[in-house]
Amino acid sequence: MTDLVLMRPSGLYCPAGDFYIDPAKPVARAVITHAHGDHARSGSMQYWSSREGEGLMRARVGQKTWINALDWGQPTQIGDARVSLHPAGHVLGSAQVRIEAQGQVWVVSGDYKRDDDPTCTPFEPVPCDVFITEATFGLPEYRWPPACETAREIHEWWTQNAAEGQASVLFSYALGKAQRILAELMRYTDRKVWLHGAMTPLVEVYRKAGVKMLPTESAVAPPRTLDFAGELVLAPPAARGTPWMKRFRPYRAGFASGWMQRDLRRDAWDRGFILSDHADWDGLLLSIEQSGAKRVLAMHGHTETLVAHLRERGIDAAALPGAAPGY
């Protein structure tokens, strides 16, 4: 039986529909799982994305770009393939791609998570014959604490730093993680948070989508007399060590990421907080089981460990041929 999805130099390709999923370079037809820069790139002629993620997509690939925004579960015909998008729970608008053709159903998961997240639609199990899964955190050691506990730890750290006359600079990814932090912290405070310039427009896209978050203000050009002692500042990792950081002294630096599960990654920060927008080990196994897939192809991250475990359980599993092993 012919595979519905192949790995080509430009990325995942569906011959039946003559389209790519998250292509690495411009193509004629691109179905995009979500708006992170390693999945959504500008330059393609036509795009398909979820309606929930359309605002982020336009911010990423251009406001005037041809984008066919689909409601969740809405089928559309692309070539000889019937395609629909289903929630992945990774970030706002993140989707799994269901492809039906030649008597088969394949699902490309994109990036996904199973934990609660007030900023996006939760993951929806989609029955299929073949499931292409990510494996970013595909090791048994990765098991996430509840996000509400991590948010409480962040709030306590912020409060303690304030009591000691320190600013709190929390580094996180600008799309998805920052917004989730702002939403989760609403359980504990209503205080304003300062944002790096790279985060401000993305936070506004989330607000326009109806996501409730703490009030924010840009820290791009604050008044020279402003004292940031006791304030919380969100910034992307790339801002660390730049001249922009000098205005917050004295401050303590934290990082919110799933990588904080490993102590060796914590050493570079004053404080690490475990918060991931990817599925942990249990989430990966649960999603694979709920798909009902007889065959599983893994890509990204720790594919070897996940594949070996699935094979021990009698599942026809393999790393997707040609898939890069990056994280």
Side-chain angles (χ1 to χ4, degrees), residues 78-143:
I78 307 178
D80 293 330
R82 188 175 176 85
V83 177
S84 57
L85 302 180
H86 304 262
H90 176 58
V91 297
L92 182 68
S94 60
Q96 304 171 79
V97 182
R98 182 185 186 275
I99 305 168
E100 184 175 355
Q102 302 168 7
Q104 305 177 66
V105 174
W106 286 47
V107 170
V108 179
S109 72
D111 292 339
Y112 66 94
K113 71 172 177 288
R114 301 305 303 267
D115 296 343
D116 292 336
D117 182 345
T119 69
C120 62
T121 303
F123 180 96
E124 173 191 305
V126 182
C128 57
D129 302 306
V130 181
F131 185 54
I132 298 181
T133 181
E134 65 144 310
T136 304
F137 291 100
L139 293 175
E141 68 189 77
Y142 289 116
R143 288 183 166 92

Side-chain angles (χ1 to χ4, degrees), residues 214-230:
L214 289 178
T216 56
E217 187 168 342
S218 173
V220 171
R224 291 180 179 271
T225 57
L226 180 63
D227 183 359
F228 280 94

